[in-house]
Amino acid sequence: MSDLRFREKLREIEKAAATEDHVPEKAKQLGLLFTALFVCLLIIGIFVLAILSAFGRSFVTSGVLFALGISIASVAWNVYRAPKLP
């Protein structure tokens, strides 16, 4: 019996998540802020690894890491400049 109630609660939650838009604006802004901070730290970390690999005379690895960092940074910049995300 409790299994049927649990299934019904899950159906209600799934329906509300699919049709309702009750996420507070402050929570959306906080999530976007944390995502942006994580992406910035990721890009900085990749560039640091690229510089350290260049110091270690591993130029191919350094070039690949620089290319990866630049591509991730350009994607992040284009997302930041987008007029409105869907």
Side-chain angles (χ1 to χ4, degrees), residues 2-83:
S2 64
D3 188 42
L4 293 177
R5 284 189 219 153
F6 183 69
R7 283 186 184 181
E8 189 61 35
K9 283 184 181 182
L10 284 178
R11 284 189 190 130
E12 289 176 13
I13 291 171
E14 182 179 316
K15 181 181 175 186
T19 59
E20 304 283 329
D21 191 24
H22 290 297
V23 179
E25 195 63 36
K26 190 160 189 139
K28 289 180 187 178
Q29 291 174 352
L30 190 63
L32 186 61
L33 175 70
F34 282 137
T35 303
L37 286 175
F38 175 74
V39 169
C40 288
L41 288 175
L42 178 73
I43 292 169
I44 290 170
I46 288 174
F47 282 130
V48 166
L49 285 175
I51 292 169
L52 290 176
S53 65
F55 284 149
R57 304 273 188 221
S58 180
F59 299 115
V60 174
T61 304
S62 177
V64 169
L65 286 173
F66 268 119
L68 181 67
I70 289 172
S71 64
I72 292 174
S74 69
V75 167
W77 179 252
N78 287 333
V79 168
Y80 173 74
R81 286 186 2 183

